[in-house]
Amino acid sequence: MTSQNTAHQFAELHRAGAPVLLPNAWDAASAVLIAAAGAPAVATSSAAVAWALGKPDGEHLSRAEVAAVVARIVAAVSVPVSADIEAGYGAAPEEVASTVQAVIEAGAVGINLEDSKADGTLYPADEQAARVAAARAAAAAAGLESFVINARTDVYLRGIGAAEGRPAEVLRRGQAYAEAGATCLFVPGLVHLPTLTDLVPRAALPISVLADPAGPTVAELAATGVVRISLGTALAEAAYGLAQAATRELLESGTMKTLVGYPGFGEVNSRFRA
């Protein structure tokens, strides 16, 4: 069960000017290596977790499957863990609450909760606010006042509406989610620095973003005032890409140079407690 002290510790990492940097894990091994590299907390990536379990992204896992992965990660690391619960594994607020209860019991100190539906549209802001409120109520029932609800809006990620209207829609949704009890507003797909600089001081919630490996640096994003920067699927994509590239090298040339310089058996194995 998550402790209030751990939840508070995680919440305090979200600071404007010095945002928390969250590499995203998908299993216990990726989590322990991320923590060993110095990350102050670990967040899961729903897509990467799904891939590791043989499913595509998009709520194809069950609530129990997700909670089980979170529990294994929490048991393997000593840093706070936040769970990506997609859209909550159920449309109704009470289903979202059940999911939040499950990941809290697994040891999570926070969640990502998105406003996308499976068909690519977004929940109306009032409906999503009710779902956020249910998540907050579930955390309160568990005694976790500091539980971090990173309310994700996919206005930019899904390209909702005309481009010029997206900032206003983000602000409108942010206000609704703030009133429902969200901790911060996650806006994946938005790394345009002038837009972020304009939105951050006007938003009802602190803003978190998804880093783009080809986009702005951490320093540039931090200067806009965002409080959280995560990597999403990028680490998993890189790990799986390395596996594919190394296999091609092995099969085509009979060499294994792609694998030189990465953690060996002893380094990885030593990160786990017997």
Side-chain angles (χ1 to χ4, degrees):
M1 177 69 75
T2 308
S3 74
Q4 173 62 13
N5 287 341
T6 306
H8 180 72
Q9 175 188 347
F10 182 56
E12 288 295 300
L13 292 173
H14 295 69
R15 299 188 298 271
V20 59
L21 307 180
L22 287 180
N24 298 81
W26 57 95
D27 60 9
S30 58
V32 296
L33 291 175
I34 286 168
V42 171
T44 64
S45 159
S46 65
V49 168
W51 298 339
L53 295 180
K55 302 283 182 66
D57 189 29
E59 297 207 335
H60 294 285
L61 297 178
S62 69
R63 177 183 297 119
E65 287 175 311
V66 170
V69 172
V70 172
R72 286 193 289 271
I73 290 174
V74 170
V77 301
S78 58
V79 298
V81 176
S82 181
D84 184 345
I85 63 168
E86 303 189 68
Y89 304 102
E94 55 267 27
E95 293 178 293
V96 174
S98 294
T99 301
V100 173
Q101 180 182 1
V103 297
I104 287 175
E105 290 175 353
V109 297
I111 56 165
N112 280 9
L113 178 64
E114 64 192 56
D115 57 11
S116 278
K117 297 181 180 181
D119 63 4
T121 63
L122 304 189
Y123 282 97
D126 58 341
E127 289 184 22
Q128 182 65 8
R131 288 155 41 79
V132 171
R136 177 54 67 199
L144 299 179
E145 294 180 4
S146 297
F147 190 77
V148 174
I149 298 177
N150 193 34
R152 172 176 144 178
T153 181
D154 286 348
V155 170
Y156 276 87
L157 192 65
R158 300 280 189 182
I160 301 297
E164 60 271 19
R166 288 173 197 154
E169 181 63 10
V170 166
L171 293 175
R172 185 178 76 89
R173 287 178 173 268
Q175 181 65 48
Y177 304 165
E179 293 172 0
T183 309
C184 42
L185 182 66
F186 183 27
V187 194
L190 175 59
V191 289
H192 184 247
L193 296 174
T195 302
L196 281 171
T197 300
D198 176 65
L199 280 180
V200 166
R202 297 198 292 137
L205 288 168
I207 288 180
S208 64
V209 295
L210 179 66
D212 180 347
T217 65
V218 166
E220 290 171 327
L221 290 169
T224 69
V226 300
V227 298
R228 173 168 167 165
I229 302 171
S230 55
L231 292 181
T233 58
L235 287 184
E237 290 168 6
Y240 295 141
L242 174 63
Q244 185 179 60
T247 300
R248 284 175 175 164
E249 181 193 355
L250 178 69
L251 297 176
E252 294 170 5
S253 68
T255 60
M256 294 161 281
K257 295 178 182 179
T258 303
L259 298 175
V260 174
Y262 288 91
F265 173 87
E267 181 177 348
V268 176
N269 198 55
S270 68
R271 299 297 179 184
F272 292 92
R273 298 184 289 272

